[in-house]
Amino acid sequence: MGREELEALIRVLQEQLARPEGNLVLGTWHIHFDRKRRAFLFDKCESEGYCEERPAVIGVDGSVIDPGGPLFD
């Protein structure tokens, strides 16, 4: 990631942490940057091999592309 993406990540984290409810980044174990989609993926899987949630996907502009959530009901 370059400077622009890192600054966007800081903004996204600050915006999410300021939300009293519906914070999409709490519980994140890994943050990935998808260059093609220009979005951050907040992965809540404790281990790479097993996961019960889709990652939240938030664009560099702060838009929520996918809020993530449970894979199983």
Side-chain angles (χ1 to χ4, degrees), residues 51-65:
C51 190
E52 292 184 6
E53 290 190 45
R54 318 187 298 283
V57 182
I58 302 175
V60 294
D61 62 355
S63 63
V64 176
I65 297 169

Side-chain angles (χ1 to χ4, degrees), residues 29-43:
W29 286 82
H30 303 281
I31 301 172
H32 303 277
F33 180 66
D34 183 330
R35 186 176 302 217
K36 186 176 180 179
R37 288 195 282 181
R38 300 207 23 90
F40 302 102
L41 287 75
F42 295 90
D43 190 354

Side-chain angles (χ1 to χ4, degrees), residues 12-54:
V12 166
L13 290 171
Q14 289 174 331
E15 289 170 4
Q16 287 295 312
L17 292 174
R19 299 176 86 176
E21 292 185 27
N23 183 321
L24 300 177
V25 301
L26 286 180
T28 297
W29 286 82
H30 303 281
I31 301 172
H32 303 277
F33 180 66
D34 183 330
R35 186 176 302 217
K36 186 176 180 179
R37 288 195 282 181
R38 300 207 23 90
F40 302 102
L41 287 75
F42 295 90
D43 190 354
K44 298 177 181 172
C45 301
E46 291 187 44
S47 64
E48 297 295 326
Y50 178 75
C51 190
E52 292 184 6
E53 290 190 45
R54 318 187 298 283

